[in-house]
Amino acid sequence: ARMNAVFKIAIAFALIQAVAAVPRSHQPAGADGSVKTAINPEYLKEVAVNLADQTHYGDPYNVSCLSDEVNITIQGVSGAVCSPSCGLLSQCPTDVPQGVTVSPQCALQSTTGDKYCALICTPSSKNDAQCGGATCKEVQQGIGICTYDL
């Protein structure tokens, strides 16, 4: 991933150098002589598609949690998961990552009393697919939670 980021920076730097090498007479300029730029519409489409594909209960190690989620770790359970809050007046969002077959439940509570949604699963090597790309970690006998590993 670090090599990929370095590569992208090198490409961006090369593009900046290439634009700078174009004579000013060939660059579109504003009244003040500044070079006018715009964001590539294809890039905006790509970002919009990526954001549209993101669901609740995602992998906090690979993507940022949605704006209404927090990165949750559970005491005694390995891994983490993005989790929205829930309560008496707010139900758990039902949009789940691809492959998830369990339903979100308002099942977690922080030490301050805040409640959060989780994908509750049945721990068994036969049922790991129920969590999509996450794995079912046992929290007590017969009850598990879907989390992502680092």
Side-chain angles (χ1 to χ4, degrees):
R2 187 181 187 304
M3 181 63 132
N4 195 15
V6 170
F7 182 69
K8 287 179 183 177
I9 290 169
I11 289 174
F13 184 69
L15 290 173
I16 291 168
Q17 287 179 322
V19 169
V22 175
R24 270 227 175 288
S25 61
H26 292 90
Q27 294 180 8
D32 62 357
S34 63
V35 176
K36 301 298 181 191
T37 60
I39 294 177
N40 180 342
E42 293 302 315
Y43 171 77
L44 293 177
K45 286 180 190 174
E46 182 181 326
V47 169
V49 167
N50 289 340
L51 290 176
D53 288 344
Q54 191 171 350
T55 65
H56 287 92
Y57 316 102
D59 181 350
Y61 298 118
N62 290 322
V63 297
S64 295
C65 295
L66 296 176
S67 61
D68 63 339
E69 293 179 305
V70 293
N71 181 344
I72 294 278
T73 56
I74 299 121
Q75 187 174 354
V77 177
S78 64
V81 65
C82 293
S83 179
S85 62
C86 57
L88 187 61
L89 300 176
S90 59
Q91 299 291 319
C92 293
T94 56
D95 59 314
V96 296
Q98 185 175 6
V100 171
T101 59
V102 294
S103 298
Q105 297 180 34
C106 190
L108 302 176
Q109 185 169 335
S110 71
T111 55
T112 59
D114 297 322
K115 294 183 179 181
Y116 296 92
C117 303
L119 297 173
I120 302 300
C121 53
T122 305
S124 165
S125 59
K126 296 176 189 172
N127 293 325
D128 255 358
Q130 65 193 320
C131 293
T135 53
C136 186
K137 311 288 189 337
E138 190 168 50
V139 291
Q140 69 181 46
Q141 189 172 2
I143 299 173
I145 184 167
C146 298
T147 65
Y148 297 90
D149 295 316
L150 183 58

